[in-house]
Amino acid sequence: MLIDFPIVCFILAFSADVVYEAGLAGSDWSQFAYILLIVGIATAIAAAIAGLVEYSIIFDEETTQTANAHMTLNVMVLVLQVVNLSFRGYAKDNHYWRHGWILSLVSVVLIAISSWLGSTLVYTHKMGFRNPVRPNNF
C-alpha cells in the first residue's frame, strides 16, 4: 500500500517536531523531521498519481463526491507540507522552523479526516477492488 508511506512520514515528522520543540532531544530531531518531510512529499506524489488512476474509473455520483473531498484534503496536506519543507529549507544548520510543528499538526488532522474518507471509498464504495460494480448502462 503506497499511501502508508506519506502518512507515516508526516505523522513521524510531527512527532519529531514535538520532541524537539519540547526540548526532549537535540537538533538531530529537527533534521529527522526535515528528511521525513522530503520522503513524505515524494511518496505522497506517487500515491496521488495512483489515486488519480483510480479516480478515473469512478462511475457514480456519491463515490465521486467522497473521492473529491478525499482528494481535496490530500492536496491541502501536500501543499502544507511543501510550504513547511520550503521554510525549513531556508533555515540554517538544523532545518528548524519555529512554526513547522503547527503546519505538521494541521496536516496530521487533515490526514486523519482524509484517511476516514479513503476507508469509506474502499470499504463502502468498493474502490480499489478488481471488479468494481458498474451501473447497468455500461
Side-chain angles (χ1 to χ4, degrees):
M1 302 249 325
L2 188 58
I3 193 60
D4 295 340
F5 293 104
I7 290 172
V8 168
C9 286
F10 293 151
I11 291 172
L12 285 177
F14 170 66
S15 301
D17 284 339
V18 169
V19 167
Y20 181 71
E21 188 70 28
L24 300 174
S27 64
D28 291 346
W29 283 80
S30 65
Q31 292 176 352
F32 181 52
Y34 183 76
I35 292 167
L36 285 167
L37 286 175
I38 292 171
V39 174
I41 289 168
T43 56
I45 291 170
I49 292 168
L52 286 173
V53 170
E54 285 195 58
Y55 184 81
S56 68
I57 63 168
I58 296 176
F59 295 106
D60 65 287
E61 186 64 32
E62 184 181 351
T63 306
T64 301
Q65 289 176 350
T66 305
N68 285 339
H70 177 68
M71 179 176 54
T72 301
L73 288 173
N74 287 335
V75 168
M76 288 171 61
V77 168
L78 188 57
V79 168
L80 282 173
Q81 296 296 34
V82 167
V83 168
N84 195 354
L85 182 69
S86 65
F87 277 111
R88 289 170 190 258
Y90 290 117
K92 294 184 179 183
D93 299 326
N94 62 357
H95 299 291
Y96 172 70
W97 179 48
R98 180 146 183 84
H99 303 295
W101 71 272
I102 297 170
L103 290 181
S104 292
L105 173 63
V106 172
S107 294
V108 167
V109 170
L110 292 176
I111 287 169
I113 298 167
S114 178
S115 296
W116 175 73
L117 289 172
S119 69
T120 301
L121 287 170
V122 171
Y123 297 111
T124 303
H125 300 292
K126 305 297 183 198
M127 290 298 301
F129 287 89
R130 290 184 184 254
N131 298 318
V133 178
R134 296 183 179 180
N136 293 332
N137 59 353
F138 284 98

